[in-house]
Amino acid sequence: MKEKIVLDACCGGRMMWFDKQDDRCLFADQRRESMSINHFPSQKNASAKVVNPEQIHDFKNMPYKDESFHHVVFDPPHIRNISMKSVTGFSYGSLNKETWQDDLRLGFAECFRVLKPNGTLIFKWNEVDIPLREVLALTTEKPLYGHRSGKKANTHWVAFIKTSSDSL
């Protein structure tokens, strides 16, 4: 078995991946399920959205050894209290309205804990509900750079580098 050097801590449906089976990555999420979506009710064809991680885990308390991965992708849920029965909720997950700040703070800490020194973390965030500045305030790590994308430029890609194991 090939060593997994990348961790996608909240893989969901692996929507951002060019190769959704990339053997360099350990795809992990807190759930395994599927949802049938009928995009056009007049047609009888429904498509499935699938969340099928290799590993089930809680991104706030991951079961991996310290400094296990060269690269971590952290794309947590970014909306508070959305129904998991909705397509958006199923696709992206939901943050708890009362604990979202602690949950993201712990998620950042865990991602940096499992990241090797000089390893990189890519954080993806959509500001539809919570501004990026409020989320970045939940980690003591300093971002390197970032980029906005999407039609409304609401999605942010932020790069970090772990400069030492002392930063935990």
Side-chain angles (χ1 to χ4, degrees):
M1 177 182 246
K2 189 172 184 173
E3 177 189 12
K4 304 287 187 169
I5 60 172
V6 176
L7 171 66
D8 186 340
C10 305
C11 72
R14 307 179 193 188
M15 292 177 283
M16 72 176 115
W17 286 86
F18 291 116
D19 178 357
K20 294 180 184 336
Q21 305 302 321
D22 194 314
D23 63 358
R24 297 168 293 180
C25 183
L26 175 61
F27 294 99
D29 206 291
Q30 67 181 3
R31 62 198 167 110
R32 180 176 284 124
E33 57 190 340
S34 64
M35 171 187 261
S36 182
I37 300 167
N38 194 345
H39 300 282
F40 302 102
S42 63
Q43 297 176 355
K44 295 187 181 193
N45 297 334
S47 60
K49 284 207 169 277
V50 177
V51 175
N52 188 23
E54 296 170 86
Q55 175 77 39
I56 299 285
H57 76 193
D58 179 348
F59 71 79
K60 302 177 301 288
N61 185 20
M62 295 189 277
Y64 318 113
K65 294 179 184 175
D66 293 357
E67 302 178 352
S68 296
F69 299 95
H70 294 273
H71 182 80
V72 174
V73 178
F74 188 35
D75 179 13
H78 52 264
I79 301 173
R80 296 172 281 200
N81 284 14
I82 189 168
S83 170
M84 294 299 287
K85 293 180 180 180
S86 71
V87 174
T88 301
F90 180 86
S91 298
Y92 299 103
S94 178
L95 291 169
N96 182 292
K97 191 165 94 174
E98 286 80 34
T99 64
W100 71 270
Q101 291 169 307
D102 289 335
D103 294 346
L104 292 177
R105 187 177 292 113
L106 289 168
F108 271 118
E110 277 293 277
C111 287
F112 283 108
R113 179 186 68 77
V114 301
L115 190 61
K116 292 180 182 287
N118 299 312
T120 53
L121 175 116
I122 298 298
F123 176 67
K124 180 177 169 271
W125 187 255
N126 187 299
E127 308 192 288
V128 70
D129 188 28
I130 305 166
L132 178 67
R133 71 181 176 284
E134 289 182 31
V135 176
L136 291 180
L138 301 174
T139 181
T140 58
E141 299 295 330
K142 182 179 174 184
L144 283 169
Y145 56 87
H147 177 73
R148 288 178 173 235
S149 66
K151 285 182 182 179
K152 296 180 182 178
N154 284 345
T155 300
H156 296 265
W157 296 84
V158 181
F160 294 83
I161 189 166
K162 182 176 175 180
T163 53
S164 74
S165 56
D166 298 338
S167 64
L168 302 175

